[in-house]
Amino acid sequence: MMTSALTEFRRDGFTEIPAFIPASQVRALQTSADDLITSFTERGYRSEDFWFFERPSGDAPVLYRVHNLERQGSPVIASLFAGGPLHGLAADILGAPVRSTACAMIVKLPYVAAAVPWHRDRTSVPAHTVCNLSVFLDRSADNGCLEFVAGSHLLPDGADVAAVSGAGPATAVPAQAGDVVVHDVRAVHGSRPNGTATIRRSIVIEFAPAGLSLPRDG
Ligand code: NI
């Protein structure tokens, strides 16, 4: 990892590592993601881990998140969560041995995906302590890429997220398949709807210092 990435992470609350995941592994992850998504959209699979919303029109429900992703039967995703290069990257970023604490897939289906409202993942931990790594499986730009308010991870726990995001400025972070975007869980972030024909999927894994127990309130 380049030191500039660590400097950005600590200053801005986010940084991007281009082409971190090898192309062959990206393809394997895409195949697993395709299988999980089509199980919902085409084969009628439902579980409490597959989060979706209904549309007023009564059209097909819109899948937006697969929770507990490491337990959905994909060996390649389970191994990404269990160990390997992402763990090394997170350890470098946090400056401590780490453990992976949560895993989900964010899905922005073409045309129908909604915005993810501005939020902070956690505020119950100090800045620079817990991070999320987003592994992009698709190009992410005008189809609902991540946006951050730089420096917002340093704001107090009780900061007004709506006021912070309203004041901005928001920084959009476009990505390519295989890029990893790292963010401090305290950072104020969100994403826009996907009005395009291009799906946008990312696998998000949370990392915490090995010895730190996290509250489950996320
Ligand atoms: Ni988030």
Side-chain angles (χ1 to χ4, degrees):
M1 185 190 66
M2 292 186 298
T3 54
S4 59
L6 186 55
T7 301
E8 281 182 9
F9 173 75
R10 297 186 69 89
R11 181 192 64 205
D12 298 336
F14 62 92
T15 190
E16 184 168 23
I17 316 291
F20 187 79
I21 307 292
S24 59
Q25 192 179 8
V26 171
R27 283 192 294 275
L29 293 168
Q30 288 167 336
T31 299
S32 279
D34 287 342
D35 186 51
L36 290 170
I37 292 167
T38 56
S39 76
F40 181 93
T41 58
E42 294 175 20
R43 301 197 293 277
Y45 179 74
R46 298 291 183 270
S47 102
E48 64 183 16
D49 288 333
F50 282 59
W51 298 8
F52 62 90
F53 63 87
E54 303 278 1
R55 284 184 284 172
S57 58
D59 290 342
V62 178
L63 179 69
Y64 64 93
R65 179 184 175 102
V66 180
H67 205 56
N68 293 318
L69 185 67
E70 77 280 14
R71 295 183 224 153
Q72 306 302 329
S74 160
V76 62
I77 291 172
S79 71
L80 196 71
F81 181 75
L86 288 180
H87 290 243
L89 175 59
D92 288 346
I93 288 278
L94 299 179
V98 296
R99 65 192 179 94
S100 49
T101 47
C103 186
M105 178 161 58
I106 309 301
V107 181
K108 285 194 176 260
L109 293 171
Y111 303 118
V112 293
V116 174
W118 291 98
H119 68 283
R120 305 170 95 178
D121 297 329
R122 295 181 186 274
T123 52
S124 50
V125 295
H128 312 139
T129 303
V130 180
C131 67
N132 266 317
L133 269 50
S134 299
V135 175
F136 279 84
L137 304 186
D138 305 291
R139 183 189 68 86
S140 169
D142 56 351
N143 53 352
C145 72
L146 277 171
E147 298 185 36
F148 295 93
V149 177
S152 56
H153 62 308
L154 303 174
L155 295 171
D157 284 7
D160 181 340
V161 168
V164 171
S165 60
T171 303
V173 183
Q176 299 292 328
D179 293 356
V180 174
V181 174
V182 184
H183 75 263
D184 191 307
V185 291
R186 298 179 55 88
V188 174
H189 62 284
S191 62
R192 298 180 194 213
N194 182 4
T196 79
T198 307
I199 194 169
R200 180 283 222 198
R201 300 162 296 180
S202 57
I203 295 173
V204 184
I205 304 181
E206 184 188 62
F207 289 91
L212 180 73
S213 69
L214 292 176
R216 292 305 306 167
D217 62 358

